Amino acid sequence: MTDAYVALEGGRVVEARARSPGTTRGELVFTTAYTGYEESLTDPSYEEQILTFSYPLIGNYGVREERFESDRVHPRGVVARDLTEDVVEWLEEEGVPAVDKLDTRDLVTEIRDSGAMKCGIAAGEDVTEQDALDELEQCEHMSDHTEIGDQVTTPETVVYNEGGDGPDVALIDCGAKGSIITSLVERDATVHLMPHDTTEAEVAELDPDVLFISNGPGDPENFDQANELVDDFVGEKPIAGICLGQQVVANALGGETEKMEFGHRGVNQPVRDLRTDRVVMTTQNHGYTVADPGDNLEVTQINVNDDTPEGLENDELDIITRQYHPEANPGPNDSKSFFDDVLAMADETATTTN
């Protein structure tokens, strides 16, 4: 019995089964990850998106809060071939509409062919195709979500591992995953998680050993204050960035970013280091990329599939960024040494200064 509809940009409507009722809209994207659905669903980078899982069964090892990357589900809707009761119950509690029993292979193919697209969903008793089309009509382009940072950032500074023996890190929260904080704390850093609109004066007062721009959702050009912080502290403090953080750093230093056709979302993206010629497997979740790094950043790593920049560095200015997620949970763990490199850069700068 059809009790859900998925309306795609262009007008096509796909019938489905309602699992968590409601109406919603967002940018329709897909992930190829076959594990890590709890991490994906709580990743702030999926804010304002409808997440489609290409793997056919989602929820086959339950739901455990200790695997969450944040305190809530971030996609505005969920699409899968089959959702287990554990996941359905969780999404219902979160108020996130979800549908299944549709051909996700066909849906993923359409996204790959046509690009990430606007989408409207209507699920539950008495819904109609028109309800889904009405949601689609109200859907905005991702770049039009100019205040998206406010939806995912911490409202005030929170300190983790205060008094740690490692460097002080000012982590600018543009939608940071919890695993980034954990990865830094595990290395005995003190992490100051700061709102995305933190001012230069507030960072200067903290006087951290490194400025770290986090991952986050949407268009990096909408994170003006994070961009300004990079511009303010470049050459004065070591600077690091992950995912959206790499894009923000590139924009601040004269580079350019652009929207990708359908992005990179999954746990098996191959990345080649141009200095060592080593290839590692990475977890990724982004729909924008660095189109031109500018004159101040060297591309040190590229995606094997499409040659997009995966790592940017400037040794003289103490800058290191990654487009992928070195902290990836549940894996792969090939690139976690990135955090060692960031903290070593901070330690070296502090030693030189002193």
Side-chain angles (χ1 to χ4, degrees):
M1 174 181 173
T2 297
D3 56 0
Y5 300 93
V6 180
L8 308 179
E9 190 171 350
R12 179 186 171 201
V13 179
V14 179
E15 296 181 351
R17 177 178 68 166
R19 301 306 309 278
S20 177
T23 57
T24 190
R25 58 188 177 272
E27 182 184 55
L28 184 66
V29 298
F30 69 88
T31 176
T32 59
Y34 49 89
T35 60
Y37 50 85
E38 297 141 306
E39 292 89 343
S40 292
L41 289 169
T42 53
D43 182 347
S45 294
Y46 281 113
E47 189 79 5
E48 294 294 345
Q49 293 179 322
I50 306 294
L51 179 56
T52 302
F53 289 95
S54 67
Y55 189 74
L57 177 60
I58 300 302
N60 56 344
Y61 51 83
V63 176
R64 295 177 61 184
E65 189 172 345
E66 57 263 36
R67 291 194 281 252
F68 292 0
E69 290 290 348
S70 68
D71 60 2
R72 67 176 175 90
V73 172
H74 283 274
R76 294 193 56 158
V78 177
V79 177
R81 180 68 182 87
D82 280 295
L83 293 165
T84 67
E85 292 301 324
D86 287 338
V87 172
V88 168
E89 183 178 333
W90 175 32
L91 294 175
E92 286 181 326
E93 291 174 355
E94 293 273 338
V96 176
V99 303
D100 66 5
K101 294 301 181 186
L102 70 168
D103 188 349
T104 50
R105 296 170 300 182
D106 175 63
L107 207 55
V108 168
T109 299
E110 181 154 351
I111 297 170
R112 285 183 61 90
D113 290 344
S114 303
M117 63 187 71
K118 296 177 182 179
C119 171
I121 291 178
E125 293 184 9
D126 301 323
V127 299
T128 65
E129 287 190 23
Q130 189 59 48
D131 294 326
L133 289 167
D134 289 344
E135 289 291 324
L136 172 64
E137 187 175 353
Q138 299 176 66
C139 189
E140 294 182 298
H141 189 278
M142 281 301 293
S143 292
D144 293 334
H145 291 286
T146 56
E147 307 300 323
I148 197 169
D150 294 339
Q151 300 171 213
V152 295
T153 195
T154 179
E156 58 186 9
T157 298
V158 181
V159 182
Y160 297 85
N161 194 36
E162 188 168 9
D165 292 332
D168 280 321
V169 178
L171 178 59
I172 305 304
D173 183 13
C174 302
K177 292 169 61 180
S179 292
I180 294 177
I181 299 170
T182 300
S183 296
L184 292 166
V185 167
E186 285 175 346
R187 291 160 174 80
D188 213 16
T190 297
V191 179
H192 302 260
L193 184 70
M194 309 180 78
H196 78 96
D197 56 358
T198 294
T199 65
E200 175 192 5
E202 289 168 326
V203 173
E205 182 179 2
L206 175 64
D207 192 25
D209 297 308
V210 60
L211 177 68
F212 200 132
I213 312 298
S214 82
N215 66 290
D219 190 336
E221 293 189 4
N222 288 330
F223 289 82
D224 296 335
Q225 188 56 38
N227 188 308
E228 288 185 22
L229 287 177
V230 174
D231 185 53
D232 290 334
F233 288 99
V234 65
E236 295 184 20
K237 298 285 184 184
I239 295 175
I242 286 178
C243 200
L244 177 118
Q246 168 163 292
Q247 301 158 22
V248 167
V249 170
N251 280 336
L253 296 181
E256 296 180 359
T257 54
E258 65 182 3
K259 196 171 193 314
M260 305 174 76
E261 188 173 358
F262 54 84
H264 295 159
R265 298 177 181 88
V267 297
N268 61 347
Q269 288 282 337
V271 169
R272 182 164 70 93
D273 189 297
L274 299 178
R275 293 175 174 177
T276 66
D277 210 32
R278 179 176 177 236
V279 173
V280 296
M281 301 307 292
T282 68
T283 289
Q284 302 197 17
N285 173 18
H286 61 102
Y288 293 78
T289 189
V290 174
D292 178 2
D295 297 330
N296 296 306
L297 294 169
E298 176 190 359
V299 177
T300 58
Q301 298 183 342
I302 61 171
N303 190 289
V304 174
N305 293 329
D306 60 12
D307 291 335
T308 51
E310 296 285 0
L312 302 175
E313 299 183 31
N314 184 315
D315 295 335
E316 292 184 5
L317 295 176
D318 290 321
I319 297 172
I320 181 171
T321 68
R322 296 292 182 262
Q323 182 58 65
Y324 53 87
H325 285 272
E327 81 290 348
N329 278 316
N333 298 321
D334 301 28
S335 53
K336 281 192 171 183
S337 61
F338 169 75
F339 295 99
D340 298 314
D341 296 337
V342 169
L343 298 181
M345 181 176 66
D347 280 333
E348 183 178 340
T349 301
T351 300
T352 303
T353 302
N354 294 332

